[in-house]
Amino acid sequence: MKSSLLWMQDYVDVDMNQDMQAFADTLTIAGIPVEQVEYWGNEIKNVVTGKILKIEKHPDADHLVICQIDVGTEQLQIVTGAANVREGQIVPVAVHGAHLPGGVKIKRSKLRGVPSNGMLCSAHELGFDDSVLLPKEREGIWILPADTPVGVDAVDYLKLKDVVYEYELTANRADCFSMVGLSREFAVLSGKEARYPEITVKESDETIDGKVQISIDDEELCNRYTARLLTHIKIGPSPLWMQQRLRKSGVRPINNIVDATNYTMIELGIPLHAYDYDKVAGHHLIARRAKDGEAMKTLDEIDRTLNDNMLVIADEEKPCCIAGIMGGFDSEVTEHTQTVILECASFKGSNIRHTGRMLGLRSEASGRFERGLDADSCINSINRCAQLLQEMGACDVAKGIVDVYPEPQKTTYISFTADQVNAFLGTNIPEEQMMHILETLQFTLQKDGDTITATVPSYRGDCTEMPDIAEEVARIYGYENIPSTRPWSDITVGEPGLEYDVTEKISRILCSSGLNETVTFSFMHPDQLKKLLYKEGDPVYQAVPIINPITEDFPLMRTTLIPSLMDVLVRNQAVKNPSVGIYEIAPVYIPKELPVKELPEQKLCVSGLLYGQRTAGEWPVQASNYDFYDVKGLVEAVLSGLGIHADIEVSDYAPLHPGKAARYVKDGKVLCNFGEVHPKAIDNYDVTGPVYIFEMYMDAIMPFINLMPDYHKVVKFPASSRDLAFLAPVGTSNQAVLDIIREKGGEYLEAVHLFDLYQGKQVPRGYKSLAYNLVFRSEQGTLTDQDIQAPIDAILSDLKEKLNCELR
């Protein structure tokens, strides 16, 4: 936001002779950051107002004319190439010796042999940017109002000499996005008293009753809507003083109606909008959500498609305005407008911000709505605008206001003591000084003993508790006046915890296995879950919604890491990367309930993805691709590195290919899922497969971790091994066989490995051959055949009885 200090003089006495940069620094330290100080008109000298008496064609140039100019004290001849000059017009004249912005100096000269004693000035040449000028003002001479006195200093008359502050206000200080709001800060920091405009409206005998109807269909997005009826409209330019103030604020003047709404918005901080009464169907304005696919043409003459997350102001037939952002072309106030509905409303800031981003639209009004406005100030704002238009002679104001305010905002009361504030700040500020600061900031105070109760002004929605009161006192008292002290704390040496050590170990294992670590956004879209074949109702859909997402592609906090890794794969395949081996260690966010009432749980997960070539094809080695056993090996390496021995089972994890999916389980808890991504999911992502993934759940893994090495003394006696091959029914799992072998193998069984699986001509239909190597060893001596025969017999017996397995 920008503010002219000449304009600020209306509300508080500003010393224009002080060091303006120093005062800007004072504001910045007090929490009103001044980004830039602009000095207007200091370079301009010897520019006066002049009246064009006569215009003649130049004898030797088709595009030049000779003007006779009355500048009050004399008549000057000036040659110009401007095409918009006419006799009788009053214009700015830079006479001989004049200085203009940019170091331009004007002196007498001859143009094509004709003497010229100065220059007629455009608005641009006097320092105004084209963005705050109407198209007709950007080319040619600046034509001043007909009642402009002749021969006066243009700098004084046009208020060109000024200091303009440009602020970079934080989102919580919505109250300072106005001249009146800033004047409160100017007053308290300069020790002056603020003045506020007296708002009075002279209403005509005509009443608004029965002529304008207002409805709010969505009270969540619009909590107040007010309207006035302006009759006998006379469209024309606004007064020069208003135009100049708007230009210095970065707003382009349009006409008296639009300028008055913009002026009021800058002065009081509450945006308004004007509708052509005769273009509003049924003279009925409705604050409602747009319909999906509903279209409207905005004031910039662009057709925009809306959705049901956007708030519009509609009549009984069509949308007339994108609420808080931009009006509709079909209800625009034009030179033919005779009656106007003037609106002032309060909209939900987050919705305005969301709509603006969706449509790529932003305006001075939306910037204010986004930060949250004071609904209680709507009546003052609409009356101020009506007053300005009335004083311009632009309209009559019908009697009455339509005001729909279903649930008035609550008044906030904050109780505190001076001792509490001083203890919080580490200061010794007297109670009287605190109260004076707060009263200057328009807080109403009541004292009961040591307790002070502050009634928070309606426009200070950022103040809700005692620390906010302390902040107000501190910033006005001056942070530089607060003594620097070292905060006391029972400090302990920070040490990484077990979870940190575990994640570092996992990262080392995966990196040493050839994978690269990725860091992706903590957000997702529900469509990503559908692509991965998660069924409706799956817990992964219970995600925390983001009120203000960085993009519409990421409206939720993620509940699984797999979609993020698939997105990385998509980008890698797009650049023809033949091999992708990646992993990510990051939290997922699980809400305890929806809608969210408390912070969600953050559960750490480890996920990885393999695609393409395990080894490149370089002679004499042929290229080989990742397969199921690569991802299985990665998972086993991690679990083994963490000292975990778990059982493997078939997995039914939704994104995985049935028959090529497994999981490790311990004590009934699923530690991880892994396998090949389902072909349908591959098609949904439009990538090339096969793709292999794993997802490990740290909350399930942590209780079983043993990072201490499992040390065993090297046995000096040799091992004895036996190979056993069984015919087992096709449905028999390796894990079931291993369980029996380990259970019946006795005290000397050291290891068991499956080394062959065969199905062929020599094996009966419905069976498969499983061959295991069993290793026996004793610490007391060398084992004999008799020592190991008994456990082998027990194993064979149990396998036959329980699994119907026969020794081959």
Side-chain angles (χ1 to χ4, degrees):
M1 176 179 169
K2 292 184 176 183
S3 75
S4 155
L5 296 197
L6 277 182
W7 186 358
M8 185 62 69
Q9 296 278 34
D10 285 4
Y11 315 106
V12 63
D13 294 327
V14 180
D15 182 3
M16 298 298 289
N17 295 317
Q18 67 178 314
D19 184 338
M20 291 304 180
Q21 183 60 58
F23 189 66
D25 293 341
T26 300
L27 286 168
T28 300
I29 293 171
I32 312 298
V34 179
E35 187 75 10
Q36 184 176 352
V37 181
E38 301 175 0
Y39 297 92
W40 285 58
N42 284 349
E43 300 176 89
I44 304 175
K45 296 179 182 177
N46 293 336
V47 178
V48 298
T49 58
K51 184 174 184 178
I52 302 175
L53 302 176
K54 187 177 181 181
I55 300 176
E56 299 175 329
K57 288 186 177 181
H58 193 290
D60 294 323
D62 293 337
H63 300 292
L64 297 177
V65 294
I66 304 168
C67 300
Q68 303 300 323
I69 310 292
D70 176 12
V71 294
T73 57
E74 60 181 322
Q75 182 173 315
L76 299 177
Q77 176 175 288
I78 295 177
V79 179
T80 181
N84 67 323
V85 293
R86 302 289 184 271
E87 292 180 359
Q89 291 175 338
I90 300 176
V91 297
V93 182
V95 300
H96 173 70
H99 291 235
L100 298 178
V104 177
K105 297 180 181 179
I106 305 300
K107 59 183 180 179
R108 296 187 184 93
S109 62
K110 287 187 177 182
L111 295 178
R112 292 289 184 93
V114 176
S116 181
N117 297 305
M119 184 180 80
L120 307 185
C121 299
S122 67
H124 181 74
E125 289 164 333
L126 292 178
F128 289 100
D129 189 81
D130 285 348
S131 63
V132 297
L133 300 174
L134 290 169
K136 65 180 181 181
E137 295 173 331
R138 294 172 193 164
E139 299 179 1
I141 303 306
W142 190 2
I143 309 303
L144 303 178
D147 60 354
T148 302
V150 174
V152 298
D153 188 327
V155 172
D156 292 337
Y157 182 75
L158 298 175
K159 306 295 183 186
L160 296 179
K161 190 171 183 178
D162 198 354
V163 177
V164 175
Y165 284 171
E166 183 173 359
Y167 306 89
E168 191 66 33
L169 296 167
T170 53
N172 65 311
R173 291 309 304 272
D175 60 299
C176 288
F177 277 81
S178 67
M179 297 297 293
V180 166
L182 287 169
S183 72
R184 288 188 285 264
E185 304 295 325
F186 274 70
V188 72
L189 291 171
S190 60
K192 305 291 179 64
E193 186 175 343
R195 303 179 297 270
Y196 304 114
E198 294 184 7
I199 302 174
T200 57
V201 180
K202 297 179 182 178
E203 297 179 330
S204 66
D205 294 335
E206 189 174 356
T207 179
I208 195 173
D209 293 341
K211 295 182 179 177
V212 175
Q213 185 180 353
I214 299 296
S215 301
I216 298 178
D217 282 0
D218 195 313
E219 295 179 9
E220 178 191 358
L221 302 185
C222 176
N223 65 338
R224 190 176 193 180
Y225 201 114
T226 65
R228 266 198 178 276
L229 183 65
L230 309 181
T231 60
H232 305 102
I233 295 293
K234 301 179 184 67
I235 301 293
S238 56
L240 183 61
W241 62 266
M242 180 178 285
Q243 293 185 34
Q244 293 296 79
R245 290 181 174 186
L246 290 175
R247 289 188 176 107
K248 291 175 186 177
S249 300
V251 176
R252 175 165 55 93
I254 305 294
N255 58 47
N256 49 6
I257 303 295
V258 177
D259 292 355
T261 61
N262 286 332
Y263 184 92
T264 305
M265 174 185 68
I266 296 170
E267 182 181 49
L268 300 182
I270 311 293
L272 303 98
H273 188 67
Y275 301 88
D276 188 319
Y277 177 80
D278 295 320
K279 296 177 182 177
V280 175
H283 310 311
H284 183 190
L285 291 174
I286 308 161
R288 62 166 173 84
R289 290 178 183 265
K291 301 169 185 175
D292 256 336
E294 192 169 27
M296 72 170 289
K297 181 185 287 188
T298 46
L299 287 173
D300 53 7
E301 300 189 42
I302 295 176
D303 291 317
R304 302 187 185 274
T305 302
L306 312 177
N307 63 48
D308 59 6
N309 288 322
M310 301 175 182
L311 183 69
V312 297
I313 306 302
D315 60 20
E316 294 179 353
E317 298 175 356
K318 63 189 181 303
C320 299
C321 176
I322 301 174
I325 300 178
M326 186 174 286
F329 183 78
D330 294 336
S331 59
E332 177 186 16
V333 173
T334 67
E335 59 184 4
H336 304 296
T337 298
Q338 297 179 346
T339 307
V340 161
I341 301 175
L342 185 63
E343 153 205 291
C344 186
S346 175
F347 305 123
K348 187 176 181 180
S350 58
N351 180 262
I352 301 301
R353 181 166 53 250
H354 167 82
T355 301
R357 286 186 175 179
M358 288 286 290
L359 297 176
L361 271 178
R362 203 168 188 280
S363 62
E364 286 283 339
S366 67
R368 287 167 169 79
F369 278 119
E370 288 173 7
R371 290 166 171 81
L373 293 182
D374 173 25
D376 284 356
S377 298
C378 287
I379 295 296
N380 266 350
S381 184
I382 201 169
N383 282 341
R384 176 60 170 165
C385 186
Q387 176 190 19
L388 290 170
L389 288 168
Q390 195 173 61
E391 290 173 353
M392 290 184 223
C395 70
D396 292 332
V397 181
K399 186 184 299 182
I401 299 176
V402 179
D403 182 11
V404 181
Y405 199 3
E407 189 174 344
Q409 66 185 39
K410 297 178 181 178
T411 303
T412 301
Y413 301 95
I414 303 174
S415 295
F416 63 96
T417 65
D419 289 342
Q420 285 177 324
V421 173
N422 280 321
F424 187 81
L425 297 176
T427 56
N428 191 25
I429 303 172
E431 180 184 272
E432 295 77 11
Q433 188 174 357
M434 286 187 193
M435 294 180 69
H436 174 72
I437 289 172
L438 293 170
E439 287 173 342
T440 307
L441 292 172
Q442 305 300 306
F443 287 80
T444 303
L445 304 180
Q446 288 186 338
K447 194 168 181 298
D448 183 8
D450 290 337
T451 301
I452 302 169
T453 301
T455 302
V456 180
S458 60
Y459 49 79
R460 289 304 304 270
D462 59 313
C463 291
T464 58
E465 53 188 348
M466 186 280 290
D468 297 322
I469 293 292
E471 181 184 0
E472 293 300 297
V473 171
R475 68 185 187 83
I476 303 302
Y477 177 72
Y479 295 120
E480 70 280 7
N481 296 323
I482 298 176
S484 297
T485 57
R486 181 173 296 173
W488 180 90
S489 177
D490 187 9
I491 298 173
T492 57
V493 177
E495 296 180 356
L498 175 62
E499 186 176 271
Y500 175 83
D501 291 338
V502 170
T503 56
E504 285 297 295
K505 186 172 184 67
I506 293 173
S507 190
R508 287 195 297 271
I509 293 170
L510 295 175
C511 283
S512 64
S513 300
L515 273 65
N516 295 306
E517 184 172 8
T518 64
V519 179
T520 59
F521 288 130
S522 298
F523 318 122
M524 68 176 187
H525 194 286
D527 287 349
Q528 294 174 297
L529 301 177
K530 293 178 183 177
K531 287 182 179 181
L532 288 167
L533 308 180
Y534 288 102
K535 296 180 180 179
E536 293 290 343
D538 193 293
V540 294
Y541 286 99
Q542 300 301 306
V544 178
I546 302 171
I547 295 176
N548 181 25
I550 59 172
T551 167
E552 293 307 309
D553 293 333
F554 299 118
L556 303 174
M557 299 299 293
R558 65 184 173 189
T559 53
T560 171
L561 304 183
I562 301 300
S564 301
L565 297 185
M566 290 299 292
D567 286 343
V568 175
L569 173 66
V570 169
R571 290 192 290 273
N572 274 268
Q573 288 199 1
V575 295
K576 308 299 182 184
N577 193 341
S579 178
V580 178
I582 55 175
Y583 74 94
E584 182 168 11
I585 303 175
V588 296
Y589 303 87
I590 311 299
K592 296 176 182 177
E593 59 178 324
L594 290 176
V596 174
K597 295 180 181 177
E598 54 183 316
L599 290 175
E601 294 182 70
Q602 296 188 42
K603 295 187 176 182
L604 195 64
C605 290
V606 181
S607 290
L609 180 148
L610 298 175
Y611 158 77
Q613 297 178 350
R614 180 194 307 109
T615 58
E618 296 182 5
W619 186 88
V621 179
Q622 290 187 345
S624 62
N625 293 329
Y626 288 118
D627 58 24
F628 174 85
Y629 296 101
D630 289 298
V631 70
K632 178 176 181 287
L634 284 173
V635 171
E636 289 176 343
V638 171
L639 294 178
S640 176
L642 299 179
I644 298 175
H645 301 285
D647 299 329
I648 191 169
E649 295 180 354
V650 174
S651 174
D652 57 358
Y653 193 45
L656 299 178
H657 190 312
K660 297 182 181 180
R663 64 189 177 202
Y664 275 103
V665 179
K666 188 172 180 66
D667 293 349
K669 292 185 177 181
V670 177
L671 307 185
C672 64
N673 284 289
F674 63 91
E676 182 181 331
V677 177
H678 199 293
K680 288 184 180 178
I682 296 295
D683 291 342
N684 291 340
Y685 269 94
D686 195 22
V687 293
T688 304
V691 177
Y692 302 93
I693 60 172
F694 65 85
E695 187 164 52
M696 310 182 74
Y697 314 108
M698 294 303 296
D699 60 332
I701 289 174
M702 290 298 292
F704 306 114
I705 289 174
N706 178 17
L707 297 182
M708 294 297 293
D710 187 11
Y711 170 75
H712 295 279
K713 182 175 66 175
V714 177
V715 180
K716 62 182 178 181
F717 299 103
S720 296
S721 65
R722 293 289 186 274
D723 291 341
L724 299 178
F726 307 103
L727 287 176
V730 171
T732 304
S733 69
N734 172 56
Q735 188 63 47
V737 175
L738 288 176
D739 288 344
I740 290 177
I741 293 175
R742 286 170 180 157
E743 180 184 355
K744 298 297 182 180
E747 60 178 318
Y748 301 135
L749 181 63
E750 183 179 79
V752 56
H753 305 283
L754 172 68
F755 68 86
D756 186 49
L757 167 64
Y758 175 74
Q759 287 178 280
K761 294 181 180 179
Q762 292 82 4
V763 177
R765 181 183 294 275
Y767 286 83
K768 59 186 176 182
S769 174
L770 299 173
Y772 293 86
N773 174 250
L774 284 66
V775 178
F776 297 88
R777 191 193 304 267
S778 171
E779 295 180 2
Q780 283 75 39
T782 303
L783 296 173
T784 65
D785 289 344
Q786 293 177 346
D787 294 328
I788 62 177
Q789 188 59 46
I792 289 178
D793 291 341
I795 290 170
L796 295 175
S797 174
D798 250 34
L799 286 174
K800 179 174 179 59
E801 181 181 341
K802 295 180 179 179
L803 300 181
N804 195 25
C805 295
E806 295 282 352
L807 183 68
R808 288 186 67 184

